[in-house]
Amino acid sequence: MSLWSHRDFRLLWLGDTISQFGSTIGRTVLPLLAAGTLAATPFQMGLLTAANTAAFLLIGLPAGVWVDRLRRRPVMLTADFVRAALMLSIPVAWWLGTLTFAHLVVVALLVGAATVMFDIAYQSYLPALVGRDQLVEGNSKLTASQSVAEVSGPAAAGGIAQTLGAANGILATGVGYLCSALFLLRIRTEEPAPRAAEKPGLVSEIAEGLRFVFGNRSLRAIIGTTGTSNFFDGIGMAVMVLFLARGLGLSDGVIGLLFSAAGAGGVLGALTANRWNNRFGQNRVIWLSMLVTQPFGLLLPLAEADWRLAFIVVADLVLAYGAIVYNIAQVSYRQAICPDHLLGRMNASIRFVVWGALPVGGLIGGLLGSGIGIMATLWVAVVGRTLSVLWVVFSPLRTRDPVPA
């Protein structure tokens, strides 16, 4: 039976779609508010950017323990209501004339913490909601919404900020979180009670999750590929805009259009991932999607300010397509093989490693760009990302099918 006829999944999907659009608008408008209304310095802008993602490193591992101790839907509801209240406090403070930069940083930190809890709970909740045999279809539909939000959200945010003001634009984010919570409240599916840990205690429970993740060869390979790819992505992101703006002399508008190709590739990947999983098998898609698409990244440093700009469009489109197909397959695989009582810690442990690789890569990319130059750093990034697929190619995933229970 298709998930189109699954009432409770439709509610989750609709709520998550609205929430994703709100989140995308918020990520775009918040820096605009800091830079425009509050005249933030470059250092302050960097501080605000760091505050958005700091929670993944600060509470990533214990969050998995907390999620496994509780039913997941109440965790998601609490996170949505907390995020809504925090984001709505910004326009209220602006209307009262009391908005400060410190207010923005605190909101960014706390919203980031609530987002960590929501994301880990949501990935751990899906198997109980739809069943493990429909995880690929469920993840495909949810990822499609996220990809559409990534494409259209920033443009909508710019229009809202220009028309209504950046502070008022934050309202859309707060309302999005409230709508997500209201749809979650209507879900009727009974969630099983959490299972007590064999060795209660924060450290013991974190260690149990880490042992499960790193004791599984296939999960180690997925962490290796995703973490390595993200690390070199961070290096590339540190210099890509400089390469386009200074190396090729492109305008902001052209750069934005080029980046939109990645969003389009992500949408296509989400819409077709289920087809590839049905045809080749989920395990094979995990390594095959990366093996076929990642070499296209080698086109990026070959671009010039002429017809060869098409290299960037093709590379961004194919890389994003492959990454989304890969992510849907590997997340569904992880959810399928993990016991229910470890889902939160499994997701948290993996996200802690692979998301933590991004800021580390960005820092090293900045250092390399200053030391060996923009072009050489870009080559390091694309070659490293291409080789990241070797982790899953030389793993049990290459031969094991179907997914083990």
Side-chain angles (χ1 to χ4, degrees):
M1 182 178 69
S2 170
L3 290 180
W4 286 106
S5 58
H6 193 302
R7 173 189 177 275
D8 285 349
F9 175 77
R10 292 200 309 270
L11 290 171
L12 174 67
W13 188 15
L14 186 55
D16 183 66
T17 299
I18 297 172
S19 176
Q20 290 295 334
F21 272 95
S23 294
T24 306
I25 290 172
R27 288 197 303 271
T28 305
V29 173
L30 204 61
L32 293 176
L33 178 62
T37 305
L38 301 180
T41 66
F43 172 76
Q44 288 177 319
M45 293 297 289
L47 188 63
L48 183 62
T49 300
N52 284 321
T53 56
F56 288 101
L57 291 175
L58 294 176
I59 67 166
L61 290 176
V65 175
W66 300 329
V67 168
D68 278 340
R69 290 176 176 176
L70 303 166
R71 283 187 168 89
R72 281 72 187 250
R73 189 168 71 105
V75 173
M76 297 159 63
L77 283 166
T78 302
D80 269 340
F81 284 125
V82 168
R83 291 188 293 182
L86 288 166
M87 296 304 289
L88 291 174
S89 73
I90 293 176
V92 171
W94 183 72
W95 296 334
L96 297 175
T98 60
L99 183 63
T100 64
F101 177 77
H103 187 154
L104 297 187
V105 172
V106 171
V107 167
L109 279 168
L110 296 178
V111 167
T115 297
V116 168
M117 296 297 295
F118 182 94
D119 287 352
I120 293 172
Y122 133 76
Q123 287 192 340
S124 305
Y125 179 61
L126 191 64
L129 184 69
V130 303
R132 294 177 186 255
D133 58 332
Q134 292 183 298
L135 286 173
V136 173
E137 183 184 355
N139 282 315
S140 297
K141 286 178 166 56
L142 291 166
T143 305
S145 296
Q146 294 166 9
S147 298
V148 171
E150 292 294 334
V151 174
S152 56
I160 290 172
Q162 185 170 345
T163 305
L164 303 176
N168 290 326
I170 300 293
L171 280 171
T173 303
V175 171
Y177 291 139
L178 282 177
C179 290
S180 174
L182 293 176
F183 283 113
L184 287 174
L185 281 170
R186 298 180 60 198
I187 292 177
R188 299 171 183 166
T189 300
E190 288 292 330
E191 185 181 356
R195 173 177 156 184
E198 295 179 3
K199 294 182 179 180
L202 187 63
V203 175
S204 297
E205 292 176 66
I206 288 175
E208 186 182 5
L210 290 171
R211 279 196 300 272
F212 174 80
V213 169
F214 288 98
N216 184 296
R217 289 181 60 198
S218 296
L219 292 182
R220 287 203 308 268
I222 287 171
I223 291 173
T225 288
T226 310
T228 304
S229 178
N230 283 353
F231 172 76
F232 285 103
D233 265 351
I235 292 177
M237 287 188 292
V239 297
M240 189 63 190
V241 172
L242 296 176
F243 168 67
L244 296 175
R246 298 179 186 176
L248 303 186
L250 304 180
S251 66
D252 292 346
V254 173
I255 292 173
L257 288 174
L258 291 175
F259 284 162
S260 67
V267 174
L268 291 173
L271 294 176
T272 57
N274 204 30
R275 181 182 305 171
W276 297 124
N277 280 277
N278 290 336
R279 181 171 181 178
F280 294 107
Q282 188 174 314
N283 292 358
R284 293 190 181 93
V285 168
I286 290 175
W287 61 267
L288 194 58
S289 59
M290 295 290 279
L291 184 65
V292 171
T293 60
Q294 295 311 292
F296 280 83
L298 300 173
L299 291 173
L300 290 171
L302 303 177
E304 296 287 349
D306 50 29
W307 64 271
R308 283 168 288 188
L309 282 180
F311 289 169
I312 298 175
V313 175
V314 171
D316 282 350
L317 186 72
V318 176
L319 288 174
Y321 182 90
I324 291 296
V325 173
Y326 164 79
N327 279 328
I328 290 172
Q330 62 95 358
V331 169
S332 301
Y333 176 88
R334 285 157 38 191
Q335 292 168 330
I337 69 168
C338 183
D340 286 338
H341 71 284
L342 283 172
L343 277 167
R345 281 167 284 175
M346 178 274 293
N347 287 319
S349 299
I350 292 177
R351 289 170 69 89
F352 176 79
V353 176
V354 301
W355 280 77
L358 274 169
V360 175
L363 177 62
I364 292 177
L367 295 173
L368 286 176
S370 301
I372 65 176
I374 293 173
M375 183 62 74
T377 302
L378 189 57
W379 274 111
V380 169
V382 298
V383 171
R385 176 169 175 162
T386 301
L387 295 177
S388 68
V389 70
L390 296 178
W391 290 95
V392 287
V393 168
F394 296 106
S395 77
L397 293 166
R398 188 165 56 90
T399 56
R400 182 186 294 165
D401 215 36
V403 174

